[in-house]
């Protein structure tokens, strides 16, 4: 017993080695590449496209950080991870950023020693059922088999929601979205539950999307956002302001197309964001003055990224809804760039 | 220096010196690893402790052998997972052993077709990784079995669906103790009769129909008790209600697929072990047994197998251990064993990787040691006693 636990300790210490010490920004610069922990594949958020290049809403954020830090949105390596492994991977130093539809919760923030740097998508947990079942509300699901990704907040929400409403069910735990899809389509379960955005993405990938309906109930708050390790405030600030810069750019009407002409704008906030005028603190953060300009020209603003991967013109067809900027009636309210 | 070199030149003291060096290096290595863990835990500002086991788990489990709700603790969830591991390993070991012995004997059969069929089965099965067996069986059940609304049924009692196999569930009522008494009595009488029969055979050479008499004892005594106590067992039949069957016992596809795959895979190895054990018995034994007029199944059961057993048991033990450890692949199809509960969801919800993984590893180690100890005990019982 003793020997075995030493062995485990050894293995774990090897896995953990290298997390401590030097500033994350220096590590990334030295590597010349940012490493991002992402989904194993979720249409619209993170999936390799037909050329094998990772693309999606969560991927865009990684590219934006790379553009801000390295000046090159292409300098990103991706580490696909299941829901269950993601935090372990982040803390073991397998990547500098976790951008993987991750719900911001108290215990994940505090107990798991991580920092959520913002919310890039306000989501909520929903249910999808085959239209042929004739179910119109989640309250009619008594006795159903429910496919669910293990190691997620959805697992806990489901248990809470169903016991509050006195609904019995059979949980069918599944490791990845792809397997959940296969089991759901094979009829192993009546219902698939995950974040509403994930349901839209999954449904869009079906052969006959119209044979399935998403029920009206949204049973939880799921603020999704990127995560970094505790203990490096500089890196957390970079990660946080990269996301904010994308949103501010949309607020100010700067797009990847017009960023160059916007440099001539009279608006001081635009001038500061694009590095025409000095934005105090950028050098303290360890970034070059054109950090936000690089993000906007190489990746685009928040709205562009949303429309490109999730919006009405895509297969997912999600509307902005609560994910609009505050000035458009949504929840994204961004501190000013001053 | 010269003292040291003389120590080094002496063969005996050199041996001791080398052992000391190796031991020191070994401990240095481990203490470095441990101090590394401690310092990394300190940098991450993480504690080490098992308090999290007492927190409510918050998640539901679809196959629970003991009472469990999502308000139960992580510890209870781990126990539920552990029992599921025991269940699949126990059933798997029994099935694999029975099938393996049949295969081993069939492989040596003088019937060409039976022997070749066993050969093909063994070669096809053991050369495919067990994970693929598990995924295959799960895929077959989930994709080819009908939806509960169109369930296949045997007399409206057994139902086969892609949500699993449903069988009636016996429910104990008052007076059940008499039935248990009947079972205990049956055990008592059958063992007694077997002993009596053996003693008598030793003395007079006369054989008694032990199997038939014991079968009768095992059926009649509990049955008598059952009726004497006024039929204290009722059955809950599965019935389709809403989305799924309610009542009865559900054997979920994950359990069935895992048990099938593990036993079918391990049986191929056991078959080869049995064959090797039988071949290793001197052929003079068989000839002698045939010469005194024993029937073929008597030759096998009374002469060959008791001797082959001594050769079979040690490698059989390692197959049992393999099967138990392979059951951790359950996570691939979402069977909630100890790895999926404690090492999966609990680990993920609480973030206690080190503690959870240490516990899972410790548990597998203990299970393996128990199986080994039992098999060693059995081995020492059947081994050849020198006279």
């Amino acid at each position: 017993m003793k020997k075995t636990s030493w062995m485990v300790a050894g293995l774990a210490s090897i896995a953990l080695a290298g997390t401590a010490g030097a500033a994350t920004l220096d590590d990334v610069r030295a590597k010349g590449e940012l490493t991002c922990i992402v989904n194993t594949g979720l249409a619209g958020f993170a999936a390799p496209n037909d050329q094998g290049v990772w693309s999606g809403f969560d991927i865009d954020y990684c590219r934006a950080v790379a553009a801000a830090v390295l000046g090159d949105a292409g300098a990103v390596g991706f580490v696909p991870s299941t829901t269950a492994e993601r935090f372990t991977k982040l803390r073991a130093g397998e990547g500098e950023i976790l951008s993987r539809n991750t719900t911001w919760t108290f215990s994940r923030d505090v107990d798991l020693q991580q920092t959520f740097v913002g919310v890039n998508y306000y989501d909520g947990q929903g249910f999808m059922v085959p239209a042929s079942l004739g179910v119109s509300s989640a309250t009619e699901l008594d006795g159903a088999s429910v496919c669910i990704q293990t190691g997620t907040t959805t697992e806990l929400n489901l248990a809470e929601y169903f016991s509050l409403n006195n609904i019995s069910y059979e949980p069918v735990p599944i490791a990845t979205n792809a397997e959940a899809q296969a089991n759901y389509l094979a009829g192993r379960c009546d219902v698939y539950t995950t974040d509403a955005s994930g349901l839209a993405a999954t449904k869009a990938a079906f052969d006959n999307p119209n044979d399935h309906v998403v029920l009206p109930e949204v049973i939880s708050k799921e603020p999704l956002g990127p995560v970094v390790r505790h203990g490096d405030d500089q890196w957390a600030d970079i990660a946080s302001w990269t996301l904010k810069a994308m949103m501010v750019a949309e607020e100010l009407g700067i797009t990847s197309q017009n960023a160059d002409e916007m440099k001539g704008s009279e608006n001081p906030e635009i001038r500061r964001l694009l590095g025409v005028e000095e934005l105090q603190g950028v050098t303290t953060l360890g970034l070059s003055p054109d950090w936000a300009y690089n993000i906007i020209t190489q990746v685009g603003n928040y709205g562009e990224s949303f429309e490109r991967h999730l919006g009405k013109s895509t297969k997912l067809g999600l509307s902005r809804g609560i994910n609009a900027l505050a000035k458009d009636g949504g929840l994204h309210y961004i501190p000013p760039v001053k | 220096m010269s003292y040291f070199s003389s120590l080094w030149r002496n063969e005996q003291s050199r041996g001791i010196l080398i052992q000391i060096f190796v031991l020191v290096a070994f401990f240095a290595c481990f203490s470095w690893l441990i101090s590394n863990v401690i310092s990394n835990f300190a940098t991450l500002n993480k504690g080490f402790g098992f308090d999290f086991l007492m927190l409510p788990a918050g998640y539901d489990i679809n196959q629970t052998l003991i009472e469990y709700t999502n308000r139960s603790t992580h510890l209870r969830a781990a126990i539920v997972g552990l029992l599921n591991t025991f269940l699949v390993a126990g059933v798997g070991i029994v099935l694999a052993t029975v099938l393996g012995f049949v295969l081993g004997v069939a492989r040596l059969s003088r019937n060409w077709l039976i022997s070749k069929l066993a050969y093909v089965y063994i070669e096809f099965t053991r050369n495919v990784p067990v994970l693929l067996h598990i995924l295959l069986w799960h895929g077959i059940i989930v994709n080819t079995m009908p939806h509960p609304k169109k369930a296949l049924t045997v007399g409206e009692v057994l139902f086969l669906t892609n949500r699993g196999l449903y069988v009636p569930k016996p429910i104990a009522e008052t007076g059940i103790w008499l039935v248990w008494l009947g079972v205990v009595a049956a055990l008592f009488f059958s063992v007694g009769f077997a002993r009596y029969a053996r003693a008598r055979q030793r003395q007079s050479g006369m054989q008694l129909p032990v199997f038939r008499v014991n079968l009768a004892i095992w059926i009649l005594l509990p049955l008598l008790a059952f009726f004497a106590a006024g039929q204290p067992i009722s059955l809950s039949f599965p019935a389709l209600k809403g989305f799924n069957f309610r009542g009865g016992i559900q054997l979920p596809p994950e359990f069935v697929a895992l048990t099938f795959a593990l036993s079918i895979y391990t049986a191929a190895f056991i078959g080869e072990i049995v064959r090797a054990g039988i071949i290793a018995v001197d052929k003079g034994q068989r000839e002698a047994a045939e010469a005194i007029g024993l029937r073929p199944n008597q030759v096998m059961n009374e002469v060959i197998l008791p001797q082959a057993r001594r050769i079979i048991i040690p490698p059989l033990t390692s197959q049992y251990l393999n099967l138990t450890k392979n059951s951790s692949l359950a996570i691939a199809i979402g069977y909630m064993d100890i790895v999926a509960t404690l090492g999966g969801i609990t680990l993920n919800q609480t973030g206690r990787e080190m503690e959870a993984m240490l516990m899972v590893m410790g548990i597998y180690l203990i299970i393996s040691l128990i199986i080994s100890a039992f098999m060693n005990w059995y081995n020492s019982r059947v081994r050849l006693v020198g006279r």
Side-chain angles (χ1 to χ4, degrees):
Chain A
M1 183 64 212
K2 223 167 197 175
K3 270 185 193 159
T4 318
S5 54
W6 285 346
M7 217 172 72
V8 184
L11 290 175
S13 66
I14 291 162
L16 288 171
T19 59
T24 315
L25 179 62
D26 299 337
D27 291 345
V28 173
R29 289 241 165 89
K31 269 197 304 178
E33 188 184 79
L34 175 79
T35 312
C36 227
I37 301 164
V38 296
N39 205 305
T40 48
L42 179 63
F45 285 87
N49 65 13
D50 39 15
Q51 278 105 47
V53 181
W54 282 91
S55 111
F57 187 65
D58 280 345
I59 299 294
D60 269 3
Y61 171 75
C62 296
R63 297 200 184 284
V65 175
V69 172
L70 302 164
D72 177 7
V76 195
F78 295 100
V79 177
S81 167
T82 62
T83 43
E85 294 167 339
R86 54 189 162 178
F87 301 124
T88 315
K89 284 194 168 176
L90 178 68
R91 280 184 296 165
E94 282 188 45
E96 292 83 29
I97 296 237
L98 169 65
S99 178
R100 196 203 174 287
N101 321 78
T102 306
T103 306
W104 189 344
T105 68
F106 178 86
S107 66
R108 283 174 175 182
D109 194 341
V110 177
D111 193 39
L112 296 187
Q113 310 273 330
Q114 302 169 136
T115 301
F116 283 82
V117 299
V119 175
N120 70 345
Y121 192 93
Y122 287 102
D123 211 337
Q125 182 175 349
F127 300 96
M128 175 164 64
V129 293
S132 58
L133 278 184
V135 171
S136 60
S137 158
T139 52
E140 297 165 26
L141 291 176
D142 195 30
S145 301
V146 183
C147 276
I148 182 159
Q149 281 191 59
T150 75
T152 58
T153 46
T154 53
E155 205 161 33
L156 306 184
N157 298 333
L158 183 71
E160 259 172 45
Y161 178 79
F162 275 7
S163 56
L164 278 178
N165 288 284
N166 259 330
I167 303 174
S168 67
Y169 70 107
E170 181 205 15
V172 181
I174 310 273
T176 68
N177 193 53
E179 283 170 44
Q181 205 171 309
N183 275 280
Y184 170 73
L185 288 177
R188 172 65 186 92
C189 43
D190 303 297
V191 191
Y192 180 38
T193 181
T194 188
D195 294 344
S197 64
L199 287 181
T202 310
K203 189 170 162 228
F206 286 171
D207 290 337
N208 301 309
N210 295 330
D211 293 351
H212 303 270
V213 288
V214 174
L215 299 178
E217 282 87 356
V218 173
I219 64 167
S220 67
K221 294 184 289 183
E222 307 284 340
L224 309 182
V227 191
V228 298
R229 287 183 289 273
H230 252 189
D232 189 342
D233 290 347
Q234 181 195 26
W235 184 248
D237 280 343
I238 293 173
S240 164
W241 280 98
T242 299
L243 182 60
K244 293 184 173 87
M246 291 175 78
M247 292 176 181
V248 170
E250 186 190 358
E251 196 173 78
L252 298 171
I254 315 172
T255 67
S256 53
Q257 306 303 318
N258 69 9
D260 281 307
E261 38 187 295
M262 282 299 217
K263 273 186 167 178
S265 161
E266 295 296 314
N267 183 335
E269 193 167 9
I270 294 180
R271 293 171 70 84
R272 281 195 297 271
L273 187 67
L274 293 177
V276 186
E277 266 175 40
E278 196 196 335
L279 176 60
Q280 250 183 340
V282 168
T283 41
T284 324
L285 205 51
L287 297 179
S288 66
D290 59 356
W291 65 284
Y293 173 80
N294 287 337
I295 296 174
I296 298 163
T297 51
Q298 295 184 25
V299 181
N301 68 32
Y302 180 80
E304 284 181 282
S305 176
F306 192 102
E307 290 308 328
R308 186 160 58 224
H309 299 295
L310 311 173
K312 286 287 173 209
S313 59
T314 65
K315 275 198 289 182
L316 272 69
L318 294 170
S319 61
R320 284 294 287 274
I322 52 174
N323 282 295
L325 300 177
K327 64 164 182 155
D328 303 324
L331 294 178
H332 291 300
Y333 186 94
I334 310 101
V337 179
K338 281 201 168 101
Chain B
M1 188 63 216
S2 64
Y3 178 66
F4 181 80
S5 60
S6 72
L7 270 182
W8 189 249
R9 249 179 264 122
N10 180 317
E11 196 183 338
Q12 201 183 355
S13 57
R14 184 172 62 219
I16 295 173
L17 273 179
I18 291 177
Q19 291 191 35
I20 291 174
F21 287 142
V22 170
L23 207 64
V24 168
F26 184 75
F27 276 104
C29 208
F30 272 123
S31 56
W32 175 77
L33 287 172
I34 288 173
S35 69
N36 197 14
V37 170
I38 292 170
S39 73
N40 276 319
F41 264 60
T43 358
L44 289 170
N45 205 4
K46 265 185 78 163
F48 184 91
F50 292 91
D51 301 345
F52 69 97
L53 288 172
M54 289 304 141
L55 300 175
Y59 58 90
D60 286 302
I61 299 178
N62 53 0
Q63 183 187 315
T64 55
L65 296 178
I66 53 172
E67 184 125 338
Y68 173 85
T69 70
N70 60 50
R71 303 313 301 161
S72 307
T73 60
H74 281 295
L75 181 64
R76 199 164 179 86
I79 294 171
V80 168
L82 182 61
L83 291 177
N84 285 346
T85 295
F86 281 145
L87 182 68
V88 82
V91 176
I93 283 176
V94 172
L95 287 181
T97 310
V98 172
L99 187 58
F101 270 77
V102 171
L103 277 172
V105 174
R107 184 90 167 72
L108 289 169
S109 166
R110 285 174 203 164
N111 182 321
W112 185 85
L113 185 65
I114 290 179
S115 145
K116 286 298 162 208
L117 276 178
Y119 171 72
V120 168
Y121 170 93
I122 288 172
E123 290 305 326
F124 269 96
T125 308
R126 69 171 179 172
N127 289 314
V128 174
V130 65
L131 180 59
L132 296 184
H133 281 284
I134 295 172
L135 293 175
L136 177 75
W137 279 103
H138 188 249
I140 288 176
I141 295 173
V142 167
N143 285 298
T144 64
M145 292 295 146
H147 194 266
K149 294 211 167 92
K150 299 170 197 145
L152 295 173
T153 175
V154 181
E156 298 291 315
V157 173
L158 290 180
F159 294 93
L160 196 57
T161 75
N162 66 352
R163 308 274 168 84
L165 176 67
Y166 293 84
V167 296
K169 180 184 188 180
I171 293 171
E173 284 164 19
T174 48
I176 187 73
W177 62 272
L178 204 62
V179 177
W180 288 120
L181 197 71
V183 171
V184 173
L187 181 74
F188 184 75
F189 282 120
S190 60
V191 170
F193 183 71
R195 283 201 177 158
Y196 166 72
R198 199 180 306 151
R200 201 177 127 143
Q201 189 185 352
R202 227 168 252 168
Q203 276 183 350
S204 66
M206 290 245 307
Q207 286 184 354
L208 288 170
V210 178
F211 180 76
R212 267 179 257 168
V213 171
N214 276 350
L215 193 68
I217 291 177
W218 273 101
I219 292 175
L220 283 181
L221 277 179
L223 208 65
L224 223 66
F226 174 71
F227 283 108
Q231 309 184 19
I233 298 175
S234 63
L235 288 177
S236 137
F237 289 98
L240 186 65
K241 205 178 149 200
F243 295 95
N244 279 312
F245 282 89
R246 303 272 177 99
I249 298 174
Q250 179 203 11
L251 302 174
E254 290 76 27
F255 170 74
V256 176
L258 190 66
T259 315
F260 266 36
L262 287 176
S263 26
I264 283 171
Y265 176 77
T266 313
F269 290 88
I270 294 179
E272 287 296 88
I273 290 169
V274 169
R275 182 170 75 106
I278 292 174
I279 290 175
V281 175
D282 194 78
K283 83 170 179 214
Q285 295 282 327
R286 174 189 294 271
E287 290 168 356
E290 283 169 353
I292 59 169
L294 293 181
R295 289 190 297 269
N297 66 331
Q298 283 179 323
V299 174
M300 186 53 82
N301 289 331
E302 308 291 334
V303 179
I304 309 288
L305 279 183
Q307 298 184 69
R309 208 151 48 179
R310 301 186 185 114
I311 303 158
I312 291 170
I313 285 170
L316 192 62
T317 308
S318 66
Q319 287 308 323
Y320 287 177
L321 297 180
N322 278 348
L323 188 145
T324 309
K325 288 179 287 181
N326 283 342
S327 73
S328 61
L329 291 169
I331 199 160
I333 52 170
Y335 178 75
M336 298 305 276
D337 70 339
I338 184 74
V339 179
T341 53
L342 178 59
I345 305 178
T346 292
L347 182 154
N348 194 258
Q349 303 292 9
T350 61
R352 306 279 169 195
E353 298 96 345
M354 188 69 124
E355 293 90 335
M357 279 339 260
L358 280 176
M359 282 182 71
V360 172
M361 292 177 83
I363 286 169
Y364 274 104
L365 184 71
I366 292 169
I367 298 176
S368 296
L369 289 179
I370 290 173
I371 296 176
S372 292
F374 174 76
M375 294 302 281
N376 284 342
W377 167 81
Y378 186 64
N379 192 30
S380 66
R381 244 190 60 136
V382 300
R383 73 158 181 249
L384 202 57
V385 183
R387 279 181 237 260

